[in-house]
Amino acid sequence: MALLKSDLPQGTLDLLILKTLALGPMHGYAIAQRLQQISRDVVQVPGGSLYPALHRLEKRKLVAAEWGNTGTGREAKFYRLTRKGRAEMQASAASWQRLSEAVALIMRQADGGVL
Amino acid sequence: MSWRHLLRHEKQEAQLDRELNFHIEEKVADLRRSGLSEEEARRKVRQEFGDIDRIKEEYRDARGTRWLDELAQDVRYAWRSLAKSPGFTAAALVALILGIGANTAIFSVIDAVLLRPLAFREPQRLMSVWKTGHTEHNSRRLFTLSEVERLRSDGAFASLGSFEPVSIRVLYRGEPEIAAGARISPDLITTLDVSPILGRGFYSGETNVALLSRAYWQRQFGSDPAIVGRTIDVEMSSVYGGTQGDRAVVTIVGVLPGELRLRPLDQADIWIAPEKDQDPPERRAATTFVVARLGPQGQPRTVQDLPNSRVDSLGWQINLVPVTETIMGSVRPLLLLLWAAAALVLGIACANLANLHLVRWSHRARELAIRAALGASGSRLARQLLVEGVLLALAGGACGLAAAYFCLKLLDLTRGLTGTVELKLDAPVLIYTACLSIFTDCCLAWHPLGQRARSDCKMPLESGVIRDGRQHAAGS
């Protein structure tokens, strides 16, 4: 089942974009493709969510953008992680990790019927 | 908002288009490769992509330029809606022009007469001195020269200067001309403490020297800076008649600043410090005006308040009137009254306009309700009303300024009220007009806004629909 943006917890999309950009600069379409591939088609980000998120990140100077040539010779806007973006990514990745572990812990406990 | 900013804004919009197009084209190409037809691929991408206009709006929100687009829209909308009701617009403009024009004209007179600083240093210490009897303290009579000498030797004032209006026949480059002049004592310059705009003042005891008024210098000598040091042949005779004309050759030493405003000194084109009078002073008529500068110790209103004064023993009294009062006192109440009247005119104009607006909005209640139903936010609608008011008030302000300009030309012709001050639409007046326009606009815009806030937004829409429905039913 595909996850839409509304199914993603608040702020997760930003983290996913930053994490993807940590691999290297890429344009918006490539980010969407990469997210879909890595998540095995679970995360499908529509353009209507992706670009506003990218522009927000650009405004907060977490990513920087610049026009460049794609492999196929077309012009596209490439985004790359800034130093501030990398720090932000690491911080929110850590807190996401903690949160998901905590959630998993609680789910396990509930399953075990300890209560 | 600069043009560069606007251009950058255009460029960024274009880049956003290119970026989104790139994404769409890549996706379409991918889908085509997976076997979809061009048409199907595009439809699918459109579905997936969502509303492109919404992305653009969010983009503008993120960059904070959305207000710019909306403002442009609002201005266009306001323009169309004003153009659609020319009767209302014309009536509103006429009211605004009258209100703002009258206020600006009166304010520029007030600015020139009451607010602009005088050319004298510390004018509050300057007093016009008049001769008066022991019984009638408020009469204003002039002095004879010997009386002036006695006042001067009395030493009650920090300094004292005198002048006598004279008519001057000027012989300059042959042709004789009549000019208004003043025979002054050299210490008048130091008493008034005016600084010439060109050249210098008089040294104490200096004789046969002259200063020109700025207007005369401009009119007669074409603002020639080389005028200082030239000599002119003059023949002075008292404007009160009687005395024989004195001939003298005087040297021009400087040019006075404009707007001295102390009557009748401000009428004089040439100030001359003549040679010491040879006539016995007693023969002279009482034709001399006296101005005194008080010491820093206080502001006596009568001669009794003056320390060390022996004037009491002279057989006559003096009457002191602050120069600021001489200059402004008589016109101040009149001007303030005029100002109040002009303010009232504007108030009435505002009230009329607000009523016109109200009638107009009650006609437009449906339009507003429909736009609210289509998703325009309350603040957006309010802003549109405000923009419409601003547009109207700005136009009214601009036309009002033009009207004020013509009023001033008219006032300049009459001159009675303002004396020799220069009336102009300078920075304080422009600021005043701008504030007035903004104030008017706020009155105009908030009135219907308040009305709208009180009434239920949906009601006009519903009643309109029902009415239309009935009409429709009756028609079929």
Side-chain angles (χ1 to χ4, degrees), chain A residues 29 46 48 51 55 59 75 79, chain B residues 18-19 23 30 49 59 62:
Chain A
Y29 184 60
Y51 286 97
H55 297 143
K59 181 109 199 290
E75 280 253 296
Y79 292 88
Chain B
R18 259 168 77 198
E19 182 178 22
H23 186 113
D30 273 359
F49 212 87
Y59 175 64

Side-chain angles (χ1 to χ4, degrees), chain B residues 61-83:
Chain B
D61 266 350
R63 280 182 40 233
T65 57
R66 181 169 174 176
W67 65 271
L68 190 70
D69 295 277
E70 292 195 348
L71 186 67
Q73 276 176 14
D74 287 347
V75 169
R76 276 197 300 272
Y77 179 80
W79 176 255
R80 275 205 306 271
S81 114
L82 286 176

Side-chain angles (χ1 to χ4, degrees), chain B residues 174-425:
Chain B
E175 286 288 299
E177 287 163 355
I178 303 294
R183 192 203 299 261
I184 72 166
S185 64
D187 45 9
L188 181 67
I189 304 293
T190 44
T191 303
L192 292 177
D193 208 342
V194 291
S195 326
I197 54 173
L198 188 72
R200 58 173 176 87
F202 296 154
Y203 300 130
S204 136
E206 202 176 17
T207 56
N208 283 339
V209 281
L211 284 165
L212 302 182
S213 78
R214 193 180 66 180
Y216 187 70
W217 173 57
Q218 287 168 345
R219 194 171 65 233
Q220 216 64 27
F221 299 103
S223 304
D224 180 8
I227 195 72
V228 174
R230 274 196 223 170
T231 55
I232 46 175
D233 246 328
V234 293
E235 193 180 299
M236 291 170 278
S237 50
S238 171
V239 289
Y240 301 102
T243 49
Q244 186 71 37
D246 301 334
R247 284 203 69 156
V249 177
V250 294
T251 309
I252 297 169
V253 296
V255 177
L256 291 158
E259 303 197 17
L260 287 165
R261 298 171 58 185
L262 181 60
R263 281 193 165 173
L265 205 53
D266 60 348
Q267 313 286 340
D269 293 325
I270 309 175
W271 295 17
I272 292 175
E275 212 151 343
K276 211 74 176 159
D277 267 303
Q278 301 304 313
D279 302 342
E282 285 77 17
R283 267 180 50 201
R284 294 263 166 185
T287 53
T288 308
F289 291 80
V290 174
V291 180
R293 181 169 284 274
L294 300 172
Q297 67 269 26
Q299 296 213 351
R301 293 302 301 256
T302 66
V303 77
Q304 276 82 15
D305 300 339
L306 290 172
N308 316 320
S309 174
R310 297 185 305 276
V311 170
D312 245 351
S313 61
L314 294 176
W316 39 267
Q317 269 281 11
I318 58 171
N319 175 16
L320 299 178
V321 182
V323 158
T324 48
E325 204 177 302
T326 319
I327 292 175
M328 304 168 183
S330 58
V331 288
R332 177 181 277 133
L334 180 64
L335 280 180
L336 293 183
L337 193 71
L338 275 174
W339 198 10
L344 207 63
V345 169
L346 185 66
I348 293 170
C350 277
N352 278 328
L353 275 177
N355 282 334
L356 278 175
H357 257 296
L358 208 60
V359 171
R360 190 146 169 267
W361 286 123
S362 62
H363 285 307
R364 284 174 73 180
R366 267 196 79 199
E367 176 200 324
L368 289 183
I370 288 171
R371 300 190 43 208
L374 288 176
S377 65
S379 66
R380 185 77 198 278
L381 285 180
R383 205 166 48 187
Q384 256 160 15
L385 300 195
L386 208 62
V387 165
E388 217 176 287
V390 168
L391 214 59
L392 208 55
L394 280 185
C399 298
L401 210 57
Y405 180 75
F406 287 110
C407 284
L408 286 190
K409 285 278 160 261
L410 221 64
L411 275 177
D412 248 355
L413 291 180
T414 58
R415 278 282 176 198
L417 183 67
T418 55
T420 46
V421 294
E422 194 184 343
L423 297 177
K424 53 191 174 190
L425 297 172

Side-chain angles (χ1 to χ4, degrees), chain A residues 6-26:
Chain A
S6 52
D7 300 322
L8 289 173
Q10 190 77 37
T12 317
L13 180 59
D14 287 3
L15 174 60
L16 294 183
I17 291 172
L18 291 177
K19 191 79 189 168
T20 312
L21 284 176
L23 303 170
M26 57 185 84

Side-chain angles (χ1 to χ4, degrees), chain B residues 78-114:
Chain B
W79 176 255
R80 275 205 306 271
S81 114
L82 286 176
K84 224 166 61 182
S85 43
F88 164 81
T89 308
L93 273 182
V94 167
L96 280 173
I97 288 168
L98 281 179
I100 293 179
N103 269 280
T104 303
I106 292 300
F107 182 77
S108 63
V109 175
I110 286 176
D111 171 54
V113 176
L114 300 183

